[in-house]
Amino acid sequence: MKTQYYKTLLELQALRNLDTKGTTTDSSSLNTDFQDLLNSLLNSVSIESKPSEQQQIMPNLDNLTSLLSKTTSHQLPPISTDSVTKTGQTGDIDTMIRAASEKYGVDEKLIKAVIKQESGFNPNAKSHVGAMGLMQLMPATARSLGVEDPFNPVQNIEGGTKYLKKMLSKYNGDVTLALAAYNAGPGNVDKYGGIPPFKETQNYVKKITASYFA
């Protein structure tokens, strides 16, 4: 199985764990179903999975994403785009960043540094693994954050900032760990007790912090 699938699983699990506060008793059965399906999927995969096995695993991943949406839909409503323009011009992006910064309490400069590294301020950017928009949200992550259109600059920035805020909160405001989790998934940060030993992630954190702390 490709590394990106693991990252998606870890992101989904992190979002599920971080969003359990305030869950009503009506969703308790869905919570149990989600955890059972996640555990089953994690136990069934391996790095050496064959292509045929990967095809069997991916429908389960889709089911997991769908179930996560059901269990968190009352907590993560679709992101509103009414208050900010959508033209995607640099000046408008600054306004969007400011709005998301104020809403989630994340430094504007940090959001800009992440966007610069992720997409170079291109709202139509799409990576070879399917990450989309200014803050390069994966499809499953975007849906879990309430982002309906990842290529909409307003929704993308708000969704990405929301996720970045979750990572900052998880790691007690440690910017380097939050960035490492944004790139490689919080599961890897927890596994290695810090920035994972992945060249891509280490360079990612280095470039963004250099820009942010400059």
Side-chain angles (χ1 to χ4, degrees):
M1 174 173 283
K2 295 182 179 180
T3 303
Q4 190 58 50
Y5 297 154
Y6 282 112
K7 179 182 176 183
T8 300
L9 285 173
L10 293 169
E11 288 176 344
L12 288 169
Q13 186 175 36
L15 285 168
R16 183 68 193 89
N17 292 336
L18 287 167
D19 287 319
T20 52
K21 185 176 181 181
T23 300
T24 63
T25 54
D26 292 340
S27 63
S28 58
S29 62
L30 287 175
N31 294 339
T32 301
D33 291 342
F34 174 87
Q35 192 60 52
D36 289 345
L37 183 55
L38 176 62
N39 290 336
S40 174
L41 187 55
L42 287 174
N43 290 334
S44 67
V45 301
S46 68
I47 295 177
E48 301 300 328
S49 295
K50 299 177 181 179
S52 61
E53 294 172 332
Q54 292 179 17
Q55 292 176 357
Q56 295 174 353
I57 290 167
M58 289 313 296
N60 285 336
L61 184 56
D62 291 338
N63 291 338
L64 188 64
T65 301
S66 175
L67 187 56
L68 177 66
S69 298
K70 293 179 181 178
T71 60
T72 59
S73 60
H74 66 288
Q75 298 166 331
L76 298 173
I79 292 172
S80 172
T81 61
D82 294 339
S83 61
V84 190
T85 58
K86 308 175 186 178
T87 63
Q89 298 300 317
T90 302
D92 293 321
I93 289 176
D94 286 341
T95 301
M96 298 171 198
I97 291 173
R98 188 174 305 112
S101 171
E102 293 174 354
K103 182 172 183 177
Y104 295 105
V106 178
D107 193 336
E108 285 184 50
K109 190 175 180 181
L110 180 58
I111 300 172
K112 287 183 179 180
V114 170
I115 292 175
K116 179 181 179 181
Q117 179 63 29
E118 290 283 0
S119 67
F121 291 93
N122 177 8
N124 298 312
K126 185 173 183 178
S127 74
H128 68 284
V129 296
M132 299 173 286
L134 289 166
M135 298 189 76
Q136 290 291 277
L137 303 178
M138 291 298 293
T141 304
R143 287 193 295 269
S144 298
L145 291 166
V147 176
E148 296 181 335
D149 179 7
F151 292 110
N152 180 299
V154 179
Q155 293 188 32
N156 191 286
I157 290 174
E158 187 164 345
T161 301
K162 180 190 292 186
Y163 186 68
L164 186 57
K165 175 64 175 182
K166 289 178 182 293
M167 296 302 99
L168 287 166
S169 297
K170 176 177 173 63
Y171 296 107
N172 300 313
D174 189 312
V175 173
T176 59
L177 293 182
L179 291 172
Y182 192 97
N183 177 259
N188 279 316
V189 175
D190 295 342
K191 176 181 178 180
Y192 293 102
I195 300 175
F198 310 143
K199 185 175 180 180
E200 175 190 338
T201 301
Q202 291 178 345
N203 288 336
Y204 178 89
V205 173
K206 182 178 180 180
K207 289 179 180 180
I208 294 179
T209 53
S211 175
Y212 177 55
F213 292 116

